[in-house]
Amino acid sequence: MPDLDPTLLKRAIALSQTARDHGNHPFGSLLVDAEGTVLLEAENTVVTERDATGHAETNLVRLATRRYDRDFLANCTLYTSTEPCAMCAGAIYWSNIRRVVFGLSEASLIEMTGENPKNPTLSLPCREVLGCGQHVVEVVGPAMEAEAATAHAGFWD
């Protein structure tokens, strides 16, 4: 699977631009099974759905847990354009997804957004949240940060 990481992460980054094009914050995620097959994709829908929990990762987790059981999800990877926030990391943990690959780091996102009220980011890396659980969640990233940052360019100004 690691050989597919760049290709799949690029797809998540493309979804972040699609979310922006749809009038939402620029975040995108996808779920992949153990063989590398894309199962689900999700975009951020905070603005269009008027839902503060409509982050790409939580939208994806909602879809995934309705469709697949916990044992299946334990062998899946969630790819996301930006490091999962504390809320999303909690949702990933509770879903039993055991591997996360992300592009832009939370720290880099905070540098881009500053004090923008559209993104009141918690400065809490997902590794810290996921590291407090009773099962291990592998976290890979940041990766391809420059590419992942492109959908954010000019958005938070």
Side-chain angles (χ1 to χ4, degrees), residues 1-24:
M1 177 75 84
D3 292 343
L4 294 175
D5 283 354
T7 300
L8 295 166
L9 187 54
K10 283 181 184 183
R11 178 63 192 145
I13 292 167
L15 287 168
S16 71
Q17 182 61 52
T18 303
R20 181 177 177 165
D21 294 345
H22 289 150
N24 289 293

PDB file of all heavy atoms in Angstrom, residues 1-24:
ATOM      1  N   MET A   1       0.803  -1.215   0.000  1.00  0.00           N
ATOM      2  CA  MET A   1       0.000   0.000   0.000  1.00  0.00           C
ATOM      3  C   MET A   1       0.845   1.277   0.000  1.00  0.00           C
ATOM      4  O   MET A   1       0.477   2.212  -0.706  1.00  0.00           O
ATOM      5  CB  MET A   1      -0.941  -0.011   1.197  1.00  0.00           C
ATOM      6  CG  MET A   1      -1.755   1.233   1.326  1.00  0.00           C
ATOM      7  SD  MET A   1      -3.075   1.341   0.153  1.00  0.00           S
ATOM      8  CE  MET A   1      -4.271   0.400   1.012  1.00  0.00           C
ATOM      9  N   PRO A   2       1.953   1.366   0.744  1.00  0.00           N
ATOM     10  CA  PRO A   2       2.724   2.612   0.733  1.00  0.00           C
ATOM     11  C   PRO A   2       3.115   3.080  -0.674  1.00  0.00           C
ATOM     12  O   PRO A   2       3.253   4.274  -0.906  1.00  0.00           O
ATOM     13  CB  PRO A   2       3.955   2.292   1.579  1.00  0.00           C
ATOM     14  CG  PRO A   2       3.457   1.270   2.549  1.00  0.00           C
ATOM     15  CD  PRO A   2       2.492   0.429   1.733  1.00  0.00           C
ATOM     16  N   ASP A   3       3.278   2.162  -1.633  1.00  0.00           N
ATOM     17  CA  ASP A   3       3.599   2.565  -3.001  1.00  0.00           C
ATOM     18  C   ASP A   3       2.460   3.377  -3.616  1.00  0.00           C
ATOM     19  O   ASP A   3       2.692   4.207  -4.498  1.00  0.00           O
ATOM     20  CB  ASP A   3       3.869   1.342  -3.882  1.00  0.00           C
ATOM     21  CG  ASP A   3       5.155   0.623  -3.496  1.00  0.00           C
ATOM     22  OD1 ASP A   3       5.987   1.236  -2.790  1.00  0.00           O
ATOM     23  OD2 ASP A   3       5.322  -0.526  -3.895  1.00  0.00           O
ATOM     24  N   LEU A   4       1.238   3.130  -3.171  1.00  0.00           N
ATOM     25  CA  LEU A   4       0.077   3.856  -3.688  1.00  0.00           C
ATOM     26  C   LEU A   4      -0.176   5.169  -2.951  1.00  0.00           C
ATOM     27  O   LEU A   4      -0.988   5.978  -3.394  1.00  0.00           O
ATOM     28  CB  LEU A   4      -1.172   2.984  -3.594  1.00  0.00           C
ATOM     29  CG  LEU A   4      -1.211   1.736  -4.475  1.00  0.00           C
ATOM     30  CD1 LEU A   4      -2.456   0.918  -4.169  1.00  0.00           C
ATOM     31  CD2 LEU A   4      -1.173   2.124  -5.940  1.00  0.00           C
ATOM     32  N   ASP A   5       0.506   5.384  -1.837  1.00  0.00           N
ATOM     33  CA  ASP A   5       0.240   6.569  -1.020  1.00  0.00           C
ATOM     34  C   ASP A   5       0.273   7.876  -1.809  1.00  0.00           C
ATOM     35  O   ASP A   5      -0.663   8.670  -1.696  1.00  0.00           O
ATOM     36  CB  ASP A   5       1.194   6.646   0.174  1.00  0.00           C
ATOM     37  CG  ASP A   5       0.830   5.690   1.294  1.00  0.00           C
ATOM     38  OD1 ASP A   5      -0.218   5.027   1.226  1.00  0.00           O
ATOM     39  OD2 ASP A   5       1.622   5.604   2.260  1.00  0.00           O
ATOM     40  N   PRO A   6       1.303   8.142  -2.627  1.00  0.00           N
ATOM     41  CA  PRO A   6       1.305   9.424  -3.346  1.00  0.00           C
ATOM     42  C   PRO A   6       0.109   9.598  -4.286  1.00  0.00           C
ATOM     43  O   PRO A   6      -0.497  10.678  -4.327  1.00  0.00           O
ATOM     44  CB  PRO A   6       2.628   9.397  -4.127  1.00  0.00           C
ATOM     45  CG  PRO A   6       3.494   8.443  -3.378  1.00  0.00           C
ATOM     46  CD  PRO A   6       2.555   7.401  -2.835  1.00  0.00           C
ATOM     47  N   THR A   7      -0.241   8.575  -5.008  1.00  0.00           N
ATOM     48  CA  THR A   7      -1.368   8.649  -5.941  1.00  0.00           C
ATOM     49  C   THR A   7      -2.674   8.893  -5.200  1.00  0.00           C
ATOM     50  O   THR A   7      -3.491   9.735  -5.602  1.00  0.00           O
ATOM     51  CB  THR A   7      -1.464   7.352  -6.762  1.00  0.00           C
ATOM     52  OG1 THR A   7      -0.243   7.188  -7.486  1.00  0.00           O
ATOM     53  CG2 THR A   7      -2.643   7.366  -7.718  1.00  0.00           C
ATOM     54  N   LEU A   8      -2.870   8.169  -4.113  1.00  0.00           N
ATOM     55  CA  LEU A   8      -4.120   8.299  -3.360  1.00  0.00           C
ATOM     56  C   LEU A   8      -4.187   9.620  -2.606  1.00  0.00           C
ATOM     57  O   LEU A   8      -5.257  10.234  -2.505  1.00  0.00           O
ATOM     58  CB  LEU A   8      -4.288   7.100  -2.437  1.00  0.00           C
ATOM     59  CG  LEU A   8      -4.468   5.778  -3.204  1.00  0.00           C
ATOM     60  CD1 LEU A   8      -4.284   4.582  -2.278  1.00  0.00           C
ATOM     61  CD2 LEU A   8      -5.819   5.732  -3.900  1.00  0.00           C
ATOM     62  N   LEU A   9      -3.046  10.079  -2.115  1.00  0.00           N
ATOM     63  CA  LEU A   9      -3.026  11.374  -1.450  1.00  0.00           C
ATOM     64  C   LEU A   9      -3.317  12.495  -2.455  1.00  0.00           C
ATOM     65  O   LEU A   9      -4.036  13.447  -2.140  1.00  0.00           O
ATOM     66  CB  LEU A   9      -1.692  11.604  -0.748  1.00  0.00           C
ATOM     67  CG  LEU A   9      -1.594  12.846   0.126  1.00  0.00           C
ATOM     68  CD1 LEU A   9      -2.720  12.905   1.157  1.00  0.00           C
ATOM     69  CD2 LEU A   9      -0.235  12.890   0.813  1.00  0.00           C
ATOM     70  N   LYS A  10      -2.820  12.360  -3.673  1.00  0.00           N
ATOM     71  CA  LYS A  10      -3.137  13.350  -4.721  1.00  0.00           C
ATOM     72  C   LYS A  10      -4.643  13.396  -4.980  1.00  0.00           C
ATOM     73  O   LYS A  10      -5.199  14.468  -5.232  1.00  0.00           O
ATOM     74  CB  LYS A  10      -2.388  13.021  -6.007  1.00  0.00           C
ATOM     75  CG  LYS A  10      -0.944  13.414  -5.967  1.00  0.00           C
ATOM     76  CD  LYS A  10      -0.250  13.090  -7.274  1.00  0.00           C
ATOM     77  CE  LYS A  10       1.228  13.419  -7.162  1.00  0.00           C
ATOM     78  NZ  LYS A  10       1.943  13.207  -8.416  1.00  0.00           N
ATOM     79  N   ARG A  11      -5.307  12.261  -4.923  1.00  0.00           N
ATOM     80  CA  ARG A  11      -6.760  12.237  -5.112  1.00  0.00           C
ATOM     81  C   ARG A  11      -7.454  12.993  -3.975  1.00  0.00           C
ATOM     82  O   ARG A  11      -8.400  13.757  -4.212  1.00  0.00           O
ATOM     83  CB  ARG A  11      -7.275  10.799  -5.215  1.00  0.00           C
ATOM     84  CG  ARG A  11      -8.768  10.695  -5.369  1.00  0.00           C
ATOM     85  CD  ARG A  11      -9.268  11.338  -6.649  1.00  0.00           C
ATOM     86  NE  ARG A  11     -10.723  11.462  -6.602  1.00  0.00           N
ATOM     87  CZ  ARG A  11     -11.408  12.464  -7.136  1.00  0.00           C
ATOM     88  NH1 ARG A  11     -10.799  13.404  -7.810  1.00  0.00           N
ATOM     89  NH2 ARG A  11     -12.706  12.508  -7.024  1.00  0.00           N
ATOM     90  N   ALA A  12      -7.003  12.789  -2.737  1.00  0.00           N
ATOM     91  CA  ALA A  12      -7.582  13.518  -1.601  1.00  0.00           C
ATOM     92  C   ALA A  12      -7.358  15.015  -1.762  1.00  0.00           C
ATOM     93  O   ALA A  12      -8.250  15.828  -1.476  1.00  0.00           O
ATOM     94  CB  ALA A  12      -6.979  13.019  -0.287  1.00  0.00           C
ATOM     95  N   ILE A  13      -6.186  15.398  -2.248  1.00  0.00           N
ATOM     96  CA  ILE A  13      -5.886  16.811  -2.478  1.00  0.00           C
ATOM     97  C   ILE A  13      -6.803  17.368  -3.571  1.00  0.00           C
ATOM     98  O   ILE A  13      -7.309  18.488  -3.454  1.00  0.00           O
ATOM     99  CB  ILE A  13      -4.391  16.989  -2.811  1.00  0.00           C
ATOM    100  CG1 ILE A  13      -3.545  16.671  -1.562  1.00  0.00           C
ATOM    101  CG2 ILE A  13      -4.108  18.395  -3.327  1.00  0.00           C
ATOM    102  CD1 ILE A  13      -2.057  16.497  -1.836  1.00  0.00           C
ATOM    103  N   ALA A  14      -7.037  16.603  -4.614  1.00  0.00           N
ATOM    104  CA  ALA A  14      -7.960  17.034  -5.668  1.00  0.00           C
ATOM    105  C   ALA A  14      -9.368  17.240  -5.110  1.00  0.00           C
ATOM    106  O   ALA A  14     -10.071  18.186  -5.492  1.00  0.00           O
ATOM    107  CB  ALA A  14      -7.977  16.018  -6.811  1.00  0.00           C
ATOM    108  N   LEU A  15      -9.774  16.378  -4.191  1.00  0.00           N
ATOM    109  CA  LEU A  15     -11.091  16.522  -3.560  1.00  0.00           C
ATOM    110  C   LEU A  15     -11.174  17.814  -2.740  1.00  0.00           C
ATOM    111  O   LEU A  15     -12.256  18.401  -2.617  1.00  0.00           O
ATOM    112  CB  LEU A  15     -11.400  15.317  -2.676  1.00  0.00           C
ATOM    113  CG  LEU A  15     -11.732  14.027  -3.407  1.00  0.00           C
ATOM    114  CD1 LEU A  15     -11.718  12.845  -2.432  1.00  0.00           C
ATOM    115  CD2 LEU A  15     -13.086  14.130  -4.103  1.00  0.00           C
ATOM    116  N   SER A  16     -10.046  18.246  -2.185  1.00  0.00           N
ATOM    117  CA  SER A  16     -10.058  19.496  -1.425  1.00  0.00           C
ATOM    118  C   SER A  16     -10.367  20.679  -2.342  1.00  0.00           C
ATOM    119  O   SER A  16     -11.094  21.600  -1.962  1.00  0.00           O
ATOM    120  CB  SER A  16      -8.744  19.705  -0.666  1.00  0.00           C
ATOM    121  OG  SER A  16      -7.670  19.998  -1.530  1.00  0.00           O
ATOM    122  N   GLN A  17      -9.851  20.643  -3.556  1.00  0.00           N
ATOM    123  CA  GLN A  17     -10.158  21.702  -4.525  1.00  0.00           C
ATOM    124  C   GLN A  17     -11.626  21.619  -4.950  1.00  0.00           C
ATOM    125  O   GLN A  17     -12.296  22.642  -5.103  1.00  0.00           O
ATOM    126  CB  GLN A  17      -9.250  21.618  -5.747  1.00  0.00           C
ATOM    127  CG  GLN A  17      -9.495  22.711  -6.764  1.00  0.00           C
ATOM    128  CD  GLN A  17      -9.248  24.108  -6.214  1.00  0.00           C
ATOM    129  OE1 GLN A  17      -8.194  24.392  -5.647  1.00  0.00           O
ATOM    130  NE2 GLN A  17     -10.240  25.002  -6.347  1.00  0.00           N
ATOM    131  N   THR A  18     -12.133  20.410  -5.107  1.00  0.00           N
ATOM    132  CA  THR A  18     -13.543  20.232  -5.456  1.00  0.00           C
ATOM    133  C   THR A  18     -14.440  20.797  -4.358  1.00  0.00           C
ATOM    134  O   THR A  18     -15.449  21.467  -4.651  1.00  0.00           O
ATOM    135  CB  THR A  18     -13.857  18.741  -5.687  1.00  0.00           C
ATOM    136  OG1 THR A  18     -12.989  18.253  -6.716  1.00  0.00           O
ATOM    137  CG2 THR A  18     -15.294  18.524  -6.097  1.00  0.00           C
ATOM    138  N   ALA A  19     -14.090  20.552  -3.096  1.00  0.00           N
ATOM    139  CA  ALA A  19     -14.861  21.115  -1.982  1.00  0.00           C
ATOM    140  C   ALA A  19     -14.875  22.641  -2.074  1.00  0.00           C
ATOM    141  O   ALA A  19     -15.919  23.274  -1.917  1.00  0.00           O
ATOM    142  CB  ALA A  19     -14.276  20.656  -0.649  1.00  0.00           C
ATOM    143  N   ARG A  20     -13.707  23.210  -2.331  1.00  0.00           N
ATOM    144  CA  ARG A  20     -13.624  24.673  -2.478  1.00  0.00           C
ATOM    145  C   ARG A  20     -14.494  25.138  -3.641  1.00  0.00           C
ATOM    146  O   ARG A  20     -15.226  26.133  -3.529  1.00  0.00           O
ATOM    147  CB  ARG A  20     -12.175  25.091  -2.674  1.00  0.00           C
ATOM    148  CG  ARG A  20     -12.014  26.588  -2.803  1.00  0.00           C
ATOM    149  CD  ARG A  20     -10.565  26.997  -2.929  1.00  0.00           C
ATOM    150  NE  ARG A  20     -10.480  28.450  -3.133  1.00  0.00           N
ATOM    151  CZ  ARG A  20      -9.381  29.151  -3.006  1.00  0.00           C
ATOM    152  NH1 ARG A  20      -8.246  28.543  -2.696  1.00  0.00           N
ATOM    153  NH2 ARG A  20      -9.394  30.452  -3.202  1.00  0.00           N
ATOM    154  N   ASP A  21     -14.420  24.445  -4.763  1.00  0.00           N
ATOM    155  CA  ASP A  21     -15.226  24.806  -5.937  1.00  0.00           C
ATOM    156  C   ASP A  21     -16.719  24.737  -5.639  1.00  0.00           C
ATOM    157  O   ASP A  21     -17.513  25.468  -6.242  1.00  0.00           O
ATOM    158  CB  ASP A  21     -14.899  23.889  -7.117  1.00  0.00           C
ATOM    159  CG  ASP A  21     -13.478  24.065  -7.640  1.00  0.00           C
ATOM    160  OD1 ASP A  21     -12.810  25.067  -7.298  1.00  0.00           O
ATOM    161  OD2 ASP A  21     -13.024  23.165  -8.373  1.00  0.00           O
ATOM    162  N   HIS A  22     -17.100  23.873  -4.696  1.00  0.00           N
ATOM    163  CA  HIS A  22     -18.506  23.738  -4.305  1.00  0.00           C
ATOM    164  C   HIS A  22     -18.918  24.737  -3.224  1.00  0.00           C
ATOM    165  O   HIS A  22     -20.039  24.665  -2.708  1.00  0.00           O
ATOM    166  CB  HIS A  22     -18.795  22.311  -3.833  1.00  0.00           C
ATOM    167  CG  HIS A  22     -18.777  21.312  -4.938  1.00  0.00           C
ATOM    168  ND1 HIS A  22     -18.420  20.002  -4.732  1.00  0.00           N
ATOM    169  CD2 HIS A  22     -19.059  21.421  -6.257  1.00  0.00           C
ATOM    170  CE1 HIS A  22     -18.485  19.350  -5.881  1.00  0.00           C
ATOM    171  NE2 HIS A  22     -18.866  20.194  -6.821  1.00  0.00           N
ATOM    172  N   GLY A  23     -18.018  25.647  -2.846  1.00  0.00           N
ATOM    173  CA  GLY A  23     -18.344  26.679  -1.869  1.00  0.00           C
ATOM    174  C   GLY A  23     -18.020  26.326  -0.434  1.00  0.00           C
ATOM    175  O   GLY A  23     -18.484  26.997   0.489  1.00  0.00           O
ATOM    176  N   ASN A  24     -17.228  25.288  -0.231  1.00  0.00           N
ATOM    177  CA  ASN A  24     -16.873  24.840   1.115  1.00  0.00           C
ATOM    178  C   ASN A  24     -15.394  25.080   1.398  1.00  0.00           C
ATOM    179  O   ASN A  24     -14.634  25.508   0.534  1.00  0.00           O
ATOM    180  CB  ASN A  24     -17.202  23.354   1.270  1.00  0.00           C
ATOM    181  CG  ASN A  24     -18.686  23.129   1.325  1.00  0.00           C
ATOM    182  OD1 ASN A  24     -19.352  23.543   2.270  1.00  0.00           O
ATOM    183  ND2 ASN A  24     -19.240  22.497   0.298  1.00  0.00           N
TER     184      ASN A  24
END
